[in-house]
Amino acid sequence: MAAQFGRRLRKGAATTAVAAVAVAALSASQAPGVNDHGRQTAADATPSPEASASDGSATGNSPYYTDLPPLKSPNPSPSTGPGPGGTGATEAGIPATVLDAYKKAETTLREAKPGCNLPWQLLAAIGRVESGQARGGQVRADGTTIKPILGPQLDGNGFALIKDTDDGAYDGNSAYDSAVGPMQFIPSTWAWAGRDGNGDGKKDPNNIYDAALAAGHYLCRNNWDLSQQDDLDRAILSYNQSREYLNLVMRWLEYYRKGTHEVPDGTGTLPDNRSDDGAGAGPTPTTPGSTPGTTPPGSPTPGPDRPEPGKPGKPGGGTPAPKPPTTPPGTPSTPPTTTPTPTDTVDHLEDAGTAKLTAMAGDTFGKRISTRAETEAGKAVAKVRVRFTVVGDTDTTFTGGESVATVATNSSGVAVAPALQAGEKTGAVTVRATVVGRTVPGLDYKATVTERAADTLARTDDAALTCAPGGEFATQVEVKATYNGAVADGVAATATLITSADDATANDKGPYFKDADGKTVRTLTGLKTDAKGLLKLPKLYADDTTGTFLLRITTAGGATLTVELTVAAAETSSPSASASPSA
C-alpha cells in the first residue's frame, strides 16, 4: 500500500518541493499530536539552532527515500508471505542480517554510551529511509552489501557541493563525494565516524554492521540523550538537515516501535520514491534501481541509487532532453564559468580568541576552541566546514566520546568546537583545526590535562585512635577529599607515619601498617579516593613503643591532614584501704 501511495504522490507532484511538503503533511496527518511514549511527534518538532547551525551532516544532505510507513499494523498476517519487492508482511519485516546489525549496535552503545539511550528502531528507521534496509537486505553473510550503494555525486547540481575528500576510495569518484553504504555516510564523515562493527579489523561503510555501529555513535555524540525529544530531534537533523527528513524518520521510528519481524535477507520491501524525485529501487532483485524496458538502448545503466537518465528538470536527474542550438555553427564555445564556493576562498585559519585550555583529569574543559576562517585579505568566511581533531596519544575527547568534530563557521567566520572532556592521561593535548575540502595549513591548539586534585581532607568521624602496646587499633582511619567544595574522586594520596610535625620522614618506631606479606610498612603510596571522595586506610598496628604519634595523609593538589595516634598501656587501679587498723 505504501508503495502504491508513493507512486501516486510522485505522479501528482509538480516539483521536488511539492513532494516534500506533501510528505511532511501526510506524515503529520497519520498520527495524533502525541505519540505512544508521551513525547511530541516529529510533526510538531522544529529544528533546534544547535542542529541547524552545523553544515557537517552525516549524509551531506543527500537524497533519501520518502516512502511512508503503511497505515496497517506492523504485525505480519499469517496468510501473507515475504517475497522480493513485496508489500504484505515485508513492509514491517527487516532482513535478518540487517536487523541483527541494528540490535548489536544498540547493545554496544548501551555499554559504551549508556546515557544516550539509543533504540535500535531508530537505526532501522534511518536505514529504511537511507537505503531501504540495504536494498531489501541485499547483503552477504558478513553484512557487506552485494553491490555498493552510492548516492548521486554531490557536485552542487541540485545537491550540496562537496568536493572529493577520499580520492575516490569509498565512492569511486575523485572529483566529488557521494554518500556511501546502507547508512549513506559521506567519506569525510566516515573518516572519523567509521567503526568496526563485525570485528573483522576493517571499517567499511558498505558493511551493515560497521555502518550501523557508526550511525549509533554519530547519533550519540554531543552527550545527546535520545530518550529526550529535543536531543532526538537534534540527532536526526544532524544526520540530514531537513524538516521533512526528521518527520519521515520519526514516522518509521514509531512504526517499528509498534512491532516488526525478521525476514530472509534479500526479501525486504524495496522503496519507490526519493526526495529528489529520482527513480527508486525497482522490483527487479538482480538490478535494483532500474526497471526493465525503461532505459533507452545505448544509454548508461542507472546506478543502484541514482536517478534514471533522461529526466529533465530533476536535480541530478541525468541528461536533459535535447534543445535546438542557440548559436550559429562554428561559433567558438565559451568555457562555463564556475562560482567559487566559500570554501574555495579560505586562505588560512586564525585563532578566534581561545582562552587557556586547562582541565583536571575527568573534568570538562571550561573553555572551548574558537577558529576563524579568513580570506587572503583577512575577511571572514561563513559557511565553511572546520574539522577539529584531537591528535596524539591521549584519551581526551570531545564531549560525547568522539575525537573528531565538524562545525560550520557562522556569519563572523568563526567555528566553535564542542567542549573537550579530559581523560585520565595527564599532560599536553593537541587539537588540530582544518578546513574540510580545502588544503590550507591546519591550526594547532594546546590543552593541558592536570592530575586529579583535592584541596581539603577531613576525617569522616572523630573517634579517638588509641591502642595498647603490641596491639591493633580498633578504628580504621577514613577521610573524605573535596576540591572547591565538590567531591574529589580518583585523587592520588599518600599516607605516612611521620617522625614529627616538623619532620615528614617516616618514623622507625610506633604504629605501622602491614603489607601483603605481613611486614611492617610506615608509608603507603598508590592510594586513591573512591567515587565519593572517600579513602579508608588499612588497619594500624602498634609495636611496644608508647607515646603520641602522627599519621600524615597528603593528596595531589596540596591537601594535607595530620592525625594523632596514641599508644599507651592500660591503666591499672591500686587497691584502696577498706578498713582502718583495730585498736
Side-chain angles (χ1 to χ4, degrees), residues 264-438:
D265 289 344
T267 65
T269 304
L270 304 179
D272 279 328
N273 309 286
R274 292 200 329 175
S275 58
D276 63 343
D277 206 26
T284 307
T286 55
T287 315
S290 64
T291 303
T294 59
T295 304
S299 299
T301 303
D305 289 288
R306 298 180 187 273
E308 294 179 26
K311 289 196 172 187
K314 308 299 181 188
T319 306
K323 295 182 179 180
T326 57
T327 56
T331 303
S333 60
T334 303
T337 59
T338 57
T339 303
T341 66
T343 300
D344 294 331
T345 67
V346 177
D347 177 75
H348 59 274
L349 294 175
E350 288 285 346
D351 178 32
T354 302
K356 185 178 180 181
L357 298 167
T358 303
M360 194 183 298
D363 288 352
T364 301
F365 282 75
K367 305 295 182 181
R368 296 164 69 177
I369 296 171
S370 297
T371 298
R372 177 180 159 99
E374 296 183 353
T375 65
E376 186 176 4
K379 292 184 178 181
V381 184
K383 298 183 179 179
V384 171
R385 291 185 298 153
V386 176
R387 180 176 297 146
F388 297 94
T389 306
V390 181
V391 298
D393 182 19
T394 179
D395 55 354
T396 292
T397 63
F398 294 109
T399 52
E402 304 294 348
S403 60
V404 179
T406 302
V407 182
T409 56
N410 60 20
S411 58
S412 300
V414 175
V416 180
L420 284 166
Q421 178 70 40
E424 294 303 320
K425 291 183 179 179
T426 59
V429 175
T430 300
V431 179
R432 182 165 299 149
T434 55
V435 179
V436 177
R438 178 84 170 151

Side-chain angles (χ1 to χ4, degrees), residues 74-75 92 120 254-261:
N75 296 316
W120 66 261
E254 296 307 322
Y255 183 75
Y256 285 132
R257 274 176 167 159
K258 293 175 183 176
T260 187
H261 57 281

Side-chain angles (χ1 to χ4, degrees), residues 42-125:
D44 299 322
T46 56
S48 67
E50 296 88 344
S52 302
S54 172
D55 192 33
S57 69
T59 67
N61 298 327
S62 295
Y64 53 89
Y65 291 109
T66 58
D67 297 50
L68 296 170
L71 295 174
K72 62 189 177 186
S73 167
N75 296 316
S77 168
S79 61
T80 309
T87 53
T90 57
E91 289 287 4
I94 299 177
T97 300
V98 178
L99 180 60
D100 184 56
Y102 296 150
K103 291 185 174 180
K104 283 189 175 179
E106 179 197 57
T107 300
T108 300
L109 267 298
R110 192 182 299 132
E111 286 189 26
K113 298 181 180 180
C116 176
N117 296 305
L118 171 80
W120 66 261
Q121 292 92 340
L122 176 58
L123 298 176

Side-chain angles (χ1 to χ4, degrees), residues 182-225:
M183 302 304 279
Q184 289 289 276
F185 280 96
I186 55 174
S188 60
T189 302
W190 184 261
W192 62 266
R195 294 292 191 279
D196 177 14
N198 63 350
D200 64 356
K202 297 184 294 183
K203 299 175 183 178
D204 182 2
N206 288 299
N207 182 282
I208 186 58
Y209 287 99
D210 295 358
L213 184 58
H217 275 279
Y218 186 89
L219 295 164
C220 285
R221 69 197 195 286
N222 298 331
N223 281 337
W224 284 330
D225 178 358

Side-chain angles (χ1 to χ4, degrees), residues 106-245:
E106 179 197 57
T107 300
T108 300
L109 267 298
R110 192 182 299 132
E111 286 189 26
K113 298 181 180 180
C116 176
N117 296 305
L118 171 80
W120 66 261
Q121 292 92 340
L122 176 58
L123 298 176
I126 290 176
R128 170 73 193 200
V129 170
E130 292 295 345
S131 69
Q133 311 298 20
R135 291 200 214 98
Q138 297 286 337
V139 296
R140 299 187 178 92
D142 68 349
T144 303
T145 57
I146 294 173
K147 294 182 179 180
I149 302 176
L150 295 177
Q153 68 176 16
L154 300 174
D155 57 5
N157 182 23
F159 309 112
L161 174 58
I162 303 180
K163 295 184 178 180
D164 176 66
T165 60
D166 66 332
D167 198 25
Y170 292 120
D171 53 19
N173 189 334
S174 58
Y176 302 97
D177 274 349
S178 294
V180 181
M183 302 304 279
Q184 289 289 276
F185 280 96
I186 55 174
S188 60
T189 302
W190 184 261
W192 62 266
R195 294 292 191 279
D196 177 14
N198 63 350
D200 64 356
K202 297 184 294 183
K203 299 175 183 178
D204 182 2
N206 288 299
N207 182 282
I208 186 58
Y209 287 99
D210 295 358
L213 184 58
H217 275 279
Y218 186 89
L219 295 164
C220 285
R221 69 197 195 286
N222 298 331
N223 281 337
W224 284 330
D225 178 358
L226 302 186
S227 67
Q228 301 298 316
Q229 187 66 47
D230 286 348
D231 281 356
L232 180 60
D233 292 347
R234 292 185 181 98
I236 296 172
L237 283 166
S238 77
Y239 214 88
N240 189 311
Q241 294 163 4
S242 160
R243 170 67 179 273
E244 288 73 29
Y245 183 88

